[in-house]
Amino acid sequence: MKSQESRFEARSADWLSLEQAQKVILSSAQPLLSEEVPIQDCLGRSLSKDLVARATLPPWNNSAMDGYAVRGEDIAHARPSTPAMLSVTGVVHAGEQPGASIGQGEAIRIMTGAPIPPGADSVVRVEDTDAEQTPGIVRVFQNRDERRHIRLAGQDMEVGDQVLAAGTTVTPTTVGLLAALGMENVLAVKQPSVAILPTGDELRTPERYDEVQRGEGVPESNGPMLAAGVTGASGIPLSLGIASDDPETLRTRIFNATEADVLITIGGASMGEADLVKRILEELGFEQDFWRVRIRPGSPFGFGRLPREDRYQTVFSLPGNPTSAFVTFELFVRPFLLAIGGHRRIFRRTLRCQAAELLRGPGDLSHFLRVRLDSSTVPPKAHITGPQGSGLITTLADADGLAVVSESEVEIAEGDPVDVILLADTPGAESYAKSDFAGR
């Protein structure tokens, strides 16, 4: 048993608001350097510079469907009872040149994407014709396609147009656009490397889960959870392993994180006698910007920097309870990682929902409640996922978002509007009913 002598600390807390803390953190966020990346490998990365069109697309007027290229005036009076009869003078496929122009009373069979022959100003869809039941002659039974179904040259982009801005996050559709620009590689901001250090004698990894079953420890869930969060923010997680509540072990683990852009410590950030993290960091020259924020869960959160040879390493000190660690990561660490990764959009989307039940807050803190969204209504209804203790993981895993009860509110009544920070961005996530989206 450890000494019974009281060693609770009496540290002064800054108690910044959510907005104040985010402002301090983001004011120090400088984008990392850039590197050349093959376009198929840059998903989730941010572009380092504006990109302009290198060609006019489409390069020519082309057909939007399979059918017949005609002159609009030749089908203006076409009806089922009085079809327009046109001579078919040829066929043009995508990738071919159109050849001869179209004259009065003529048509050319055309495929989707094929260039429009000179003289044509309309494409008649196949289903409005007899599909040349008489070879060389096509009957057109409708005039609804007069001067329609032609995609104009340059409709997508023209040479010199800016089509992508620096800071754009690369998605699968962005990759398609990069390919359309004729690019094999692109300059992207480097991915931040993030060292993750869970602390505490009580933590057990899977190979020691039998001790959890015997009530001799708790699962170490924060490290894997936050590593996944780092990956989702286009960062590179680096696991440092668990640091026990021992000064020398902590020093060694922190030393092993020297090369990382960011260090995240989990636990040991409060005022208990075994909460050694802040003391060890300070011994190593840590400069703390603030400690404690006016939020729940997650108030014992700290931010600062640690000298590392010729640079400073950003350090986030997260509370050890799983929900507290997750919420502070989402509110503070994730936006910072996206910012230094060069992304323009760094905050989660917020959806205006309807409270499905009474939502209570502490009144003097911004409260973030785990909620599940019922997307069958407009706006969606936000249901509490269950008990909201910060040490619980099941109600966190069931959450679609975090309902915000601001520090100026004591409660949000059932049926009243509530802003929910959306968390579901993984494949297969449920879609939401159309509602009032607003970026944070």
Side-chain angles (χ1 to χ4, degrees):
M1 180 179 292
K2 294 185 179 180
S3 168
Q4 296 300 307
E5 179 185 356
S6 176
R7 294 176 57 195
F8 288 111
E9 296 185 271
R11 290 178 178 264
S12 119
D14 296 286
W15 289 113
L16 298 188
S17 68
L18 170 67
E19 293 75 16
Q20 288 171 329
Q22 287 177 332
K23 183 176 181 180
V24 170
I25 291 169
L26 294 176
S27 68
S28 66
Q30 296 298 321
L32 300 173
L33 299 177
S34 300
E35 60 185 352
E36 194 170 87
V37 183
I39 64 171
Q40 66 269 20
D41 296 333
C42 64
L43 188 67
R45 305 278 290 272
S46 73
L47 300 178
S48 297
K49 64 176 186 177
D50 298 342
L51 294 177
V52 300
R54 302 169 59 202
T56 293
L57 296 178
W60 49 69
N61 294 348
N62 68 94
S63 177
M65 61 176 53
D66 296 336
Y68 293 87
V70 301
R71 301 191 322 159
E73 60 192 80
D74 287 338
I75 64 167
H77 303 291
R79 298 289 187 277
S81 58
T82 56
M85 298 182 60
L86 306 174
S87 299
V88 180
T89 61
V91 60
V92 58
H93 297 85
E96 296 179 347
Q97 293 301 312
S101 61
I102 289 180
Q104 182 178 1
E106 295 178 340
I108 287 181
R109 196 181 317 127
I110 194 167
M111 308 304 156
T112 302
I116 299 297
D121 61 9
S122 311
V123 174
V124 177
R125 66 194 84 184
V126 176
E127 53 266 38
D128 282 354
T129 74
D130 68 350
E132 299 176 68
Q133 290 185 6
T134 301
I137 300 293
V138 62
R139 288 177 173 82
V140 179
F141 299 109
Q142 299 284 350
N143 65 358
R144 59 178 173 169
D145 291 337
E146 183 181 358
R147 292 179 173 80
R148 294 183 63 196
H149 307 312
I150 293 179
R151 298 182 293 210
L152 299 178
Q155 188 177 47
D156 203 356
M157 65 184 80
E158 298 202 19
V159 173
D161 287 348
Q162 179 180 313
V163 292
L164 287 167
T168 296
T169 301
V170 176
T171 64
T173 54
T174 315
V175 173
L177 179 50
L178 292 171
L181 295 178
M183 305 188 72
E184 294 182 293
N185 302 295
V186 66
L187 278 177
V189 178
K190 288 186 175 181
Q191 296 173 275
S193 56
V194 185
I196 301 172
L197 180 60
T199 67
D201 289 338
E202 74 280 11
L203 301 178
R204 300 292 185 267
T205 48
E207 65 272 14
R208 299 177 64 186
Y209 200 76
D210 58 322
E211 297 175 38
V212 176
Q213 293 171 318
R214 293 196 301 269
E216 298 172 1
V218 297
E220 202 296 275
S221 58
N222 283 330
M225 176 176 66
L226 297 188
V230 168
T231 301
S234 196
I236 301 172
L238 307 172
S239 175
L240 298 176
I242 299 171
S244 60
D245 294 323
D246 170 71
E248 194 53 44
T249 303
L250 275 169
R251 289 189 193 95
T252 300
R253 293 286 196 274
I254 292 172
F255 175 79
N256 290 342
T258 298
E259 299 303 318
D261 297 307
V262 174
L263 170 63
I264 297 176
T265 67
I266 312 167
S270 191
M271 298 172 69
E273 61 181 76
D275 289 342
L276 302 172
V277 176
K278 284 191 289 188
R279 178 161 65 83
I280 299 303
L281 285 172
E282 287 169 356
E283 290 177 5
L284 298 173
F286 179 64
E287 299 176 11
Q288 184 167 274
D289 283 351
F290 65 86
W291 176 61
R292 281 201 177 274
V293 286
R294 297 202 304 272
I295 66 170
R296 180 181 293 172
S299 67
F301 168 86
F303 172 75
R305 63 199 56 79
L306 190 63
R308 298 288 202 180
E309 298 177 353
D310 60 345
R311 67 186 181 91
Y312 281 92
Q313 180 183 60
T314 300
V315 179
F316 293 92
S317 298
L318 275 56
N321 282 322
T323 298
S324 299
F326 177 80
V327 168
T328 51
F329 178 88
E330 283 290 318
L331 296 179
F332 304 119
V333 185
R334 184 179 185 273
F336 179 86
L337 295 181
L338 290 172
I340 67 173
H343 300 265
R344 285 183 300 150
R345 296 179 180 177
I346 62 174
F347 291 110
R348 296 280 195 187
R349 290 186 304 173
T350 298
L351 180 64
R352 179 60 58 85
C353 299
Q354 184 182 69
E357 56 202 282
L358 177 66
L359 304 178
R360 295 186 183 276
D364 55 347
L365 305 172
S366 293
H367 202 185
F368 297 88
L369 300 167
R370 287 147 273 175
V371 294
R372 174 178 46 81
L373 299 185
D374 176 2
S375 62
S376 65
T377 64
V378 179
K381 290 184 178 179
H383 298 262
I384 293 291
T385 57
Q388 295 290 299
S390 61
L392 306 180
I393 191 71
T394 53
T395 54
L396 178 59
D398 193 35
D400 294 315
L402 299 173
V404 183
V405 182
S406 69
E407 60 182 271
S408 62
E409 298 174 299
V410 175
E411 62 183 34
I412 296 175
E414 178 182 350
D416 281 356
V418 59
D419 288 331
V420 176
I421 301 172
L422 299 180
L423 301 175
D425 60 356
T426 55
E430 184 181 6
S431 61
Y432 296 102
K434 183 178 179 182
S435 187
D436 176 26
F437 279 92
R440 277 187 60 80

